[in-house]
Amino acid sequence: MGLSSFLIPILSILLLTHYQLVFTESTQPPYSCDSSNPTTRSYPFCNPKLPIAQRAKDLVSRLTLDEKLSQLVNTAPSIPRLGIPSYQWWSEALHGVANAGPGIRFNGTIKSATSFPQVILTAASFDPNLWYQISKAIGTEARGVYNAGQAEGMTFWAPNINIFRDPRWGRGQETPGEDPLVTAKYAVAYVRGLQGDSLQGGRLGERLQASACCKHFTAYDLDHWKGLDRFVTLQDLADTYQPPFQSCILQGRASGIMCAYNRVNGVPNCADFNLLTGTARNKWNFHGYITSDCGAVSIIHEEQGYAKTAEDAIADVLKAGMDVECGDYITKHGKSAVSQKKVPIYQIDRALQNLFSIRIRLGLFDGNPSKLLFGMIGASQVCSKQHLQLALDAARNGIVLLKNNKALLPLPKTNPSISLAVIGPNANASSLAVLGNYFGSPCKLVTLLQGFQHYAKNTIYHRGCDDGTQCASAQINQAVEVAKKVDYVVLVMGLDQSQERESNDRDQLDLPGKQQELINSIAEASKRPVILVLLSGGPVDITFAKFDNKIGGILWAGYPGELGGLALAQIIFGDHNPGGRLPITWYPKDFIRVPMTDMRMRADPSSGYPGRTYRFYTGPKVYEFGYGLSYSKYSYEFVSVAKNNIHLNQSSTHLMVENSETIRYKLVSDLSEETCQSMSVSITLGVTNHGSMMGKHPVLLFMRQAKQRNGNPVKQLVGFQSVKLDAGEKSQVGFEISPCEHLSTANEAGLKVVEEGSYILIAGEEEYPLNIIT
Ligand SMILES: *[C@@H]1O[C@H](CO)[C@@H](O)[C@H](O)[C@H]1NC(C)=O
Ligand SMILES: *[C@@H]1O[C@H](CO)[C@@H](O)[C@H](O)[C@H]1NC(C)=O
Ligand SMILES: *[C@@H]1O[C@H](CO)[C@@H](O)[C@H](O)[C@H]1NC(C)=O
């Protein structure tokens, strides 16, 4: 069956429901500088011909102290005498425009927005072009919602680009995974798409379609682990925690940053001048606004005790460079901070300058937006057929095939009489399980069960567990009886938001409750090997299933979004060739002996600390980062590598001695951009699809040092690209490897260095050596 013949009937139902809503009342979006008001029209801040900085400065100069203070929190009130409406800085759009923040309301013409898969699944496609298309769709829908008068702001607090450092982290699902390069590229693609830039960048002028926010700056990746401090080495900051933020700002040109709750090495992020001003603004040339995470200012005094008084906390964050507080601490204590002379007015003006610049860049001070650049985007572009197709594509290209014994999958779809049992707590899951956290109201959710029913009319459903994924109580005997009667059994198990979410990290890596017992009993009793589908953000230790021949197929479907039900069924019945690859290491369950608060990436053999992520972890794995099967087999070949030797030139190298061996290296900061450029190597890799189905395949190129030194990664992803190959087709992909960027490592002082030595490029089973010589 053709894919579109399958999708069109479902989409037309969706579109019909949507258009019926369009003709109800429509509301004006909030804006300033109404051209019909002669007073406001004459203000310089309303003049679109003036530079934005000058307009913002004019506006700030007209505010009284009380008005100024009122604007420093996320819920900024209106200033009627200047014709300025209220503004809500807090909106969410992690994987679709969401009403999870107060800025967006689905209570008017528009009742919903496209709900794309949760980010961790979208990341598994390793396809920056897809990531960009998704965030562009989100940005367009955001404008549609604003133009319909249902948005009180256009500043979205996404993407979440913290490294998925620990498998238990409840918010790991929101991130693109554990690799800094993948996370950095995701950040850039997301920001460009949402803000209205081109895929390659460089087309963003001052105007913003919507504003993206890189969060949570920095080294924030555990929830509710008793508010403990994080001690982060300079080395780990340099090559793990900071690169995604640097890319988000420098290449993506994000217009927002959120400083995180946590302290790094004693200093709360929102009060850290070196981080917010020294690093982001001065080193990375950041020009946007900085918000606190919600409540992050109050805890600096009330929980962390870093500031002695509320006023000191406010003084600290403004001095550090934060511009707007999510919360109301400044509303309550800002005035007294000023009267106690703890906060000078110029700090407030500096913050307001940044804040109003963003609102002007969003086009909110140019009069009625319906005649402006993004004013034409209408409600019909929200939940559009194209966007739903994209949501389906993202799910299909993210889902990872983990096991397929004796080619059990795909199931035969030509036989209409096959009987299927779909069993498990996630089999008929609704929003909470298929969308993942920070979800909006989906256009029309297709459940996994509906997807299966489309292919096999004779589908029997059984929930298996009495209490959802927690599965403290299970109906094992009844489920076994159901399974015995049918040709094929699909078990849909795993986690949902009750097991992992914001403010809820896991403390086990097994499947919850009686899930494993249920799976084993059904697998034992079924006619044929069963298929196990897992919904989850973080990894689950399913070693028992990996090695059990009665479990023939395993798929990981993340939280697949509103069309995840279609995507999964299309893969299981062979209408789509799976190609997703895991963006995170799947650790065995005894990994939990590692304290979650231990931020070290690098292993420490002397204390038995195993390290974290594929780059440093030295212990056994259930599945590796980058693992993923397909119905096709792919092979690689290094077709050409421009040079084998890269010259560092002995003259200005530094020396380090390790184990009585002397190694020469250069600091990346000492090398000019031209030198780095001249050292880079072009690589052409041949890729062949040996299967009988067309497939979209992500090619991952890694490097490892031939002689691994203490503190350097076991291996490191240096490039990735998704290629589409017909059955039997052979194609080529190109990579440009820059030693400064891809072969460098961070030393203990947190400086990037290029070391002499032999480096091995790795693509699948193929290896190719490169030498850096002096
Ligand atoms: C939608 O909700 C907002 C905020 O609660 C309210 O101000 C507005 O009037 C509502 N709109 C409609 C059409 O109900
Ligand atoms: C699946 O869930 C939906 C929505 O929660 C419900 O209406 C439907 O009856 C369920 N299907 C079965 C077969 O239980
Ligand atoms: C080393 O010298 C060569 C030849 O002068 C030059 O092309 C290359 O850029 C130099 N490399 C570095 C790292 O300075």
Side-chain angles (χ1 to χ4, degrees), residues 647-649 666 675 678-679:
H647 295 272
L648 265 190
N649 301 340
K666 276 195 178 169
T675 308
S678 74
M679 292 198 291

Side-chain angles (χ1 to χ4, degrees), residues 711-753:
N712 287 352
V714 178
K715 65 175 183 174
Q716 169 70 58
L717 188 69
V718 295
F720 59 92
Q721 274 183 54
S722 176
V723 280
K724 213 172 203 173
L725 293 170
D726 280 330
E729 187 184 349
K730 179 174 183 168
S731 179
Q732 296 188 338
V733 287
F735 292 95
E736 194 73 21
I737 297 302
S738 155
C740 298
E741 194 187 334
H742 301 113
L743 305 184
S744 60
T745 54
N747 68 14
E748 283 178 18
L751 302 171
K752 290 283 190 104
V753 300

Side-chain angles (χ1 to χ4, degrees), residues 269-565:
N269 281 318
C270 294
D272 191 343
F273 179 86
N274 285 331
L275 186 69
L276 304 189
T277 300
T279 302
R281 291 201 191 275
N282 296 345
K283 233 167 103 191
W284 299 342
N285 206 19
F286 175 66
H287 284 306
Y289 78 100
I290 302 178
T291 180
S292 77
D293 203 339
C294 298
V297 179
S298 67
I299 67 168
I300 291 173
H301 166 58
E302 291 176 5
E303 285 175 35
Q304 297 168 329
Y306 178 84
K308 286 208 177 64
T309 64
E311 289 78 11
D312 288 325
I314 292 168
D316 286 347
V317 294
L318 288 173
K319 196 157 67 178
M322 196 201 81
D323 302 311
V324 63
E325 178 206 1
C326 180
D328 58 4
Y329 219 48
I330 297 183
T331 310
K332 288 182 185 146
H333 305 287
K335 193 84 184 269
S336 66
V338 172
S339 58
Q340 291 173 29
K341 302 221 165 0
K342 287 185 167 164
V343 172
I345 303 298
Y346 73 84
Q347 286 290 9
I348 294 173
D349 288 351
R350 176 201 56 73
L352 293 170
Q353 176 77 21
N354 291 330
L355 294 172
F356 282 105
S357 293
I358 294 290
R359 289 171 67 175
I360 296 170
R361 289 179 68 190
L362 285 163
L364 309 183
F365 286 82
D366 295 341
N368 190 336
S370 70
K371 299 176 189 78
L372 300 171
L373 186 55
F374 300 109
M376 313 301 258
I377 298 172
S380 66
Q381 294 197 45
V382 183
C383 291
S384 70
K385 193 172 147 187
Q386 290 86 340
H387 293 173
L388 289 166
Q389 177 69 47
L390 201 53
L392 176 65
D393 257 353
R396 289 193 303 202
N397 292 312
I399 291 172
V400 181
L401 179 64
L402 293 169
K403 177 178 179 181
N404 193 12
N405 258 14
K406 299 187 180 153
L408 172 66
L409 292 169
L411 298 185
K413 65 170 180 242
T414 43
N415 180 352
S417 67
I418 67 161
S419 57
L420 183 72
V422 181
I423 302 174
N426 275 334
N428 190 31
S430 60
S431 316
L432 272 181
V434 296
L435 301 182
N437 66 350
Y438 283 100
F439 61 97
S441 175
C443 313
K444 172 78 161 77
L445 190 139
V446 177
T447 65
L448 304 192
L449 183 59
Q450 285 167 335
F452 289 114
Q453 284 166 337
H454 184 87
Y455 280 90
K457 301 289 170 245
N458 193 0
T459 294
I460 311 169
Y461 160 73
H462 193 279
R463 63 191 161 132
C465 303
D466 291 316
D467 49 351
T469 57
Q470 191 185 339
C471 208
S473 147
Q475 300 180 13
I476 295 182
N477 293 340
Q478 292 95 316
V480 164
E481 288 313 310
V482 169
K484 273 182 179 168
K485 294 196 192 88
V486 297
D487 299 318
Y488 293 99
V489 177
V490 180
L491 293 157
V492 191
M493 316 297 287
L495 312 177
D496 62 13
Q497 304 304 302
S498 71
Q499 305 296 317
E500 54 171 1
R501 64 166 191 281
E502 186 161 7
S503 310
N504 188 14
D505 296 330
R506 281 182 293 161
D507 44 31
Q508 299 295 330
L509 294 178
D510 319 78
L511 283 171
K514 298 199 163 138
Q515 287 198 35
Q516 180 170 337
E517 192 185 333
L518 179 66
I519 296 167
N520 284 335
S521 308
I522 291 174
E524 187 64 40
S526 300
K527 287 184 201 160
R528 293 189 176 83
V530 300
I531 295 144
L532 173 61
V533 174
L534 295 165
L535 299 194
S536 75
V540 181
D541 183 348
I542 47 155
T543 307
F544 74 95
K546 184 177 172 183
F547 296 112
D548 183 348
N549 285 333
K550 298 206 168 79
I551 298 168
I554 306 177
L555 291 137
W556 173 70
Y559 296 119
E562 64 172 293
L563 293 181

Side-chain angles (χ1 to χ4, degrees), residues 25 105 107-108:
E25 87 188 85
R105 300 179 298 261
N107 65 352

Side-chain angles (χ1 to χ4, degrees), residues 260-274:
Y261 292 115
N262 57 281
R263 302 192 236 188
V264 171
N265 302 336
V267 185
N269 281 318
C270 294
D272 191 343
F273 179 86
N274 285 331

